[in-house]
Amino acid sequence: MVDFSQLRRHRATALTILAVAALYYATARLGLLQQLVRGQVTPLWPPTGIAVAALLLFGVRVWPGIAVGALAVNIFIGPSVPSVVAIVVGNTLAPICSYLLLTRAGFRNDLDRLQDALALVFLGALAPMLISATIGSSTLVLSGALPARGFWPTWSVWWTGDAMGVLIVTPFLLVVRWARWPPAVGPLIWAEAAALAACTLSVTYLATNASSSSLLFLVFPFLIWASFRFERAGAAPCALGISTLAIIASGRMTGPFAHHDLLTNMVTLQAFNGTVSLTALLLTAIVTERNRTHEEIERLCAQLSDAVAHQNDGRRRGAPPDV
């Protein structure tokens, strides 16, 4: 007897895998517009963020979609078939390792706790992406596509790109997942949101095109503004916009990224974008926890007030009449 429910589950899983592969490939083509090394290594690799988000949302069963997407991207730009296979293995293992570490740490996709923010930064982005960067850079050197002296610059760009993909894209996708159009938001809130977006992008553009790197610190007040006023829904898009403009500047080697070698620029970019992402994640987690605690206190106070009122009503009904 045919189990139609099982067939539907298999079909849904297959469609999810195909969707992950298609998104991986499409965002990879966008990421390659900022390639810095050999036409395939970029300081922002959005597919890694999509891969980690897909694993967190749908489970490890969607890993073939990551592998297929990585294969479709690298088959045309890899130096040889064995090298492409090795790179695909590294690009698939890193998100899976990220997923396993986050799951073991009790990560929650809502990103509403401080421990979730810290876990995403260190267990989801920085540590696991060492795998893909090391395998990919070593493969390019061993295949002869890169000289040995190019290992560390390539490794730094590769690690930066994969880690930034997780730090920037994954939180944004997790936020978009539960985002809903607000039912009753006044025009003042919309005006404030528009002002926040305009100010954030304008100041970031000026800071990433100025010669002094100290101006990069001007973006953090806007991250604080977004975190306190709009929480995750505001901080995640702001962090995405800031980091994207910084990556574009580093790719063009303009502003604070001018007159430096590739390795120095990648260290600067990783430090800046990592600080931006960490600030946004930690502040929103703290604000969300504070608001949740405040709501819980209000709920308990309301319950206590109702209990006291009920008890007083009972006493009045049971009291003897006045003489």
Side-chain angles (χ1 to χ4, degrees), residues 310-320:
H310 180 73
Q311 185 178 15
N312 291 335
D313 289 342
R315 287 177 178 177
R316 284 194 294 268
R317 284 194 296 268

Side-chain angles (χ1 to χ4, degrees), residues 95-319:
I96 292 176
C97 179
S98 176
Y99 166 75
L100 294 176
L101 289 175
L102 290 173
T103 303
R104 188 173 181 83
F107 178 81
R108 292 200 315 211
N109 293 341
D110 291 336
L111 282 172
D112 57 352
R113 301 178 302 174
L114 183 60
Q115 66 188 66
D116 296 328
L118 292 173
L120 184 63
V121 172
F122 295 102
L123 300 181
L126 299 183
M129 298 310 131
L130 297 172
I131 298 174
S132 54
T134 303
I135 292 177
S137 302
S138 300
T139 299
L140 292 179
V141 172
L142 292 176
S143 65
L146 281 178
R149 66 178 181 276
F151 174 83
W152 287 113
T154 303
W155 184 93
S156 67
V157 178
W158 202 307
W159 182 57
T160 299
D162 282 352
M164 287 303 101
V166 177
L167 288 177
I168 298 170
V169 177
T170 300
F172 180 77
L173 293 177
L174 294 179
V175 168
V176 169
R177 175 183 62 92
W178 54 259
R180 299 291 184 274
W181 191 267
V185 175
L188 291 179
I189 298 296
W190 285 115
E192 182 181 0
L196 172 63
C199 292
T200 301
L201 294 177
S202 300
V203 172
T204 305
Y205 179 80
L206 293 175
T208 54
N209 284 273
S211 58
S212 176
S213 59
S214 59
L215 294 181
L216 292 174
F217 292 99
L218 293 176
V219 304
F220 290 100
F222 299 98
L223 277 177
I224 297 172
W225 179 7
S227 300
F228 274 90
R229 291 290 294 156
F230 301 97
E231 299 184 27
R232 292 163 292 175
C238 281
L240 177 63
I242 291 170
S243 297
T244 300
L245 290 177
I247 289 167
I248 292 174
S250 70
R252 296 175 177 173
M253 291 189 174
T254 58
F257 303 99
H259 312 300
H260 299 291
D261 57 32
L262 184 59
L263 182 58
T264 302
N265 280 341
M266 288 305 100
V267 171
T268 304
L269 181 66
Q270 182 75 301
F272 175 71
N273 282 346
T275 305
V276 167
S277 300
L278 189 62
T279 300
L281 289 172
L282 293 184
L283 277 179
T284 52
I286 292 171
V287 171
T288 302
E289 285 187 346
R290 183 203 65 179
N291 292 341
R292 187 169 58 242
T293 302
H294 185 265
E295 291 173 358
E296 183 67 15
I297 292 174
E298 286 185 338
R299 185 183 66 82
L300 293 175
C301 289
Q303 289 180 351
L304 180 59
S305 177
D306 291 341
V308 171
H310 180 73
Q311 185 178 15
N312 291 335
D313 289 342
R315 287 177 178 177
R316 284 194 294 268
R317 284 194 296 268

Side-chain angles (χ1 to χ4, degrees), residues 1-7:
M1 184 175 179
V2 179
D3 189 349
F4 290 102
S5 62
Q6 187 174 6
L7 287 177

